[in-house]
Amino acid sequence: MAPQTTLDISKRDQTVNLGAGPSALPTDVLLEAAQGILDFGGTGMGLIELSHRSGTFKKVIEKAESDLRSLLDIPDDYCVLFQQGGGTEQFSATALNLLAYHAIANPDYVSKHKGSTPPCDYVVTGSWTAKAIKEAKRLGINARLAVDARQHNDGKFGVIPPVSQWTLSDAKADKSAMLYYCDNETVDGVEFPSPGFPIQDLPEEYRKNVPIVADCSSNILSRPIDVRAHSIIFFGAQKNVGPSGVTIVIARRSLFDVDPDQGVPNGGPRIPCTLAYKNAIDNGSLYNTPPMFSIYTSGLVFADLLNNKGGVNGATQRAKAKSEAVYKVIDESDGIFKPTVKQASARSRMNVTFRICQAGQDQPDSSLEDEFVKRCSAKGIEQVKGHRSVGGIRTSLYNAVSVEQTQLLVSVMQEFAQQIRQEKKN
Ligand SMILES: Cc1ncc(COP(=O)(O)O)c(C=O)c1O
């Protein structure tokens, strides 16, 4: 006899999941995914039980790619790759692939530069870019700090210095292999102010010649991005896209015709076969077994955003409305809620980070923060504790969090601040 299949999701309706990732996904999408992993399209088999080389899965991955292309206006000369290894693996994959291309395009670079390899410039505005440059250095890459935002803010993240204060490599003499940045720093709540990374402020020579790489893991699909201005844009799925497991890479095709089986000449790095973009390009992301569930569900999220939720423009408007509502409570709390990001224009629309202080005090009070977490939970608002490395509170307002759900957070925050003021008076 077939087991009982009725799912109980009544508690889900009463829960507001503000986790930073893995995070909330649209309920309709998850219901469709649940059906698909049990019996996909009446085949009697779940999608994740089928061969990844079956015609059925091929259609799924092609549809996901095509919807993402529509959402982000991705031109034909860019490929869309479904990779594994998370955002973390792209820390090395981006640099290795671009250094290999650089070696092929500039055969006499190493001899002309006295044996040194080309620089990779990093714009460090938070914990994830700090990790990316650390990994590059660990691999022996000539990684250079274009800017470390902590040096402009008493050792803490929370500002984005203007391009005029960065130290970029010399595009002509050094021929940098890439400029790497993270559009939204998930842990620190720092995001490049809209419309995004200030590419137009880079020196013209640099902008035209140095490949630009963006980690958009935690804000992709929440505002438009100029794909053509980048060489690589990557994002792990587990925030605005889908379940963890897949990392999507959008890359300018012409830069990655680097065959790892031939080795890379001219002092370029060898690239592990699963990291070489060419292998993914040549095999339609099926070089080895892909994370099928994550790709499938991400595809459902793309279709839902495209067909039912006004695409990226719809998401942009909602992200603005939601984050502005929460920052308004913070700004009107008389210092009870203290934003961790000093530069107001760099406050993230996705991850709102703040500390909580007693009325009239400047120092955060961790017992008040614990009480706030409990208060949220009592109202059905979950996963608001800040990242373990920085503490405090982090409320993540990703695409699947509705304006109404954000309103509930706003009212809990207002009541909490009121209670603190009242306690001070008594
Ligand atoms: C902006 C950003 N980059 C990279 C990563 C690393 O991703 P993963 O844990 O999938 O390796 C994360 C993870 O949350 C992130 O938020």
Side-chain angles (χ1 to χ4, degrees), residues 160-240:
I160 302 183
V163 175
S164 57
Q165 294 177 12
W166 302 358
T167 315
L168 296 165
S169 300
D170 183 326
K172 220 174 188 175
D174 299 334
K175 272 193 187 284
S176 333
M178 69 171 182
L179 174 71
Y180 182 105
Y181 78 94
C182 175
D183 210 22
N184 181 65
E185 286 281 1
T186 324
V187 171
D188 311 281
V190 173
E191 186 177 32
F192 279 92
S194 288
F197 184 79
I199 291 177
Q200 70 289 348
D201 295 348
L202 296 171
E204 196 182 344
E205 182 84 21
Y206 193 93
R207 194 174 60 231
K208 285 193 177 147
N209 291 298
V210 179
I212 296 178
V213 175
D215 173 358
C216 294
S217 293
S218 51
N219 70 349
I220 195 72
L221 298 173
S222 71
R223 66 183 180 193
I225 181 161
D226 182 1
V227 175
R228 291 165 181 83
H230 293 79
S231 290
I232 303 173
I233 295 170
F234 75 84
F235 42 97
Q238 64 268 24
K239 284 96 158 78
N240 275 339

Side-chain angles (χ1 to χ4, degrees), residues 71-351:
L71 284 165
L72 291 177
D73 185 23
I74 303 173
D76 288 345
D77 55 334
Y78 281 72
C79 54
V80 173
L81 309 175
F82 296 88
Q83 301 285 90
Q84 303 196 43
T88 303
E89 195 159 81
Q90 292 308 314
F91 297 165
S92 49
T94 48
L96 292 177
N97 279 279
L98 281 169
L99 284 166
Y101 163 74
H102 191 285
I104 289 168
N106 303 281
D108 50 1
Y109 186 92
V110 178
S111 58
K112 271 195 185 157
H113 288 78
K114 300 191 185 104
S116 75
T117 51
C120 295
D121 292 347
Y122 286 81
V123 177
V124 175
T125 52
S127 317
W128 290 111
T129 28
K131 284 194 173 163
I133 189 170
K134 191 171 171 208
E135 175 68 350
K137 286 185 174 160
R138 198 181 65 80
L139 293 173
I141 289 166
N142 179 5
R144 282 192 195 163
L145 206 50
V147 65
D148 184 332
R150 285 170 292 198
Q151 292 168 2
H152 299 252
N153 188 39
D154 302 328
K156 284 191 189 147
F157 291 121
V159 298
I160 302 183
V163 175
S164 57
Q165 294 177 12
W166 302 358
T167 315
L168 296 165
S169 300
D170 183 326
K172 220 174 188 175
D174 299 334
K175 272 193 187 284
S176 333
M178 69 171 182
L179 174 71
Y180 182 105
Y181 78 94
C182 175
D183 210 22
N184 181 65
E185 286 281 1
T186 324
V187 171
D188 311 281
V190 173
E191 186 177 32
F192 279 92
S194 288
F197 184 79
I199 291 177
Q200 70 289 348
D201 295 348
L202 296 171
E204 196 182 344
E205 182 84 21
Y206 193 93
R207 194 174 60 231
K208 285 193 177 147
N209 291 298
V210 179
I212 296 178
V213 175
D215 173 358
C216 294
S217 293
S218 51
N219 70 349
I220 195 72
L221 298 173
S222 71
R223 66 183 180 193
I225 181 161
D226 182 1
V227 175
R228 291 165 181 83
H230 293 79
S231 290
I232 303 173
I233 295 170
F234 75 84
F235 42 97
Q238 64 268 24
K239 284 96 158 78
N240 275 339
V241 172
S244 62
V246 70
T247 306
I248 298 177
V249 175
I250 300 167
R252 193 194 298 271
R253 227 181 266 278
S254 60
L255 298 186
F256 302 110
D257 198 18
V258 178
D259 186 349
D261 289 340
Q262 302 301 316
V264 182
N266 317 326
R270 279 191 175 263
I271 315 174
C273 62
T274 50
L275 303 197
Y277 293 158
K278 180 171 168 57
N279 281 342
I281 295 171
D282 288 354
N283 293 282
S285 295
L286 302 179
Y287 180 74
N288 65 329
T289 316
M292 296 170 72
F293 176 67
S294 184
I295 294 172
Y296 165 50
T297 311
S298 300
L300 297 178
V301 171
F302 298 153
D304 183 50
L305 180 58
L306 191 61
N307 303 325
N308 309 326
K309 305 210 167 124
V312 172
N313 285 338
T316 308
Q317 282 167 23
R318 288 187 293 276
K320 186 170 187 293
K322 289 184 293 182
S323 54
E324 282 180 359
V326 180
Y327 285 119
K328 185 163 186 284
V329 185
I330 291 176
D331 289 341
E332 291 176 356
S333 71
D334 308 318
I336 290 172
F337 299 121
K338 192 176 172 191
T340 57
V341 177
K342 191 164 150 195
Q343 179 185 329
S345 62
R347 290 171 174 179
S348 169
R349 299 159 311 128
M350 297 285 107
N351 312 101

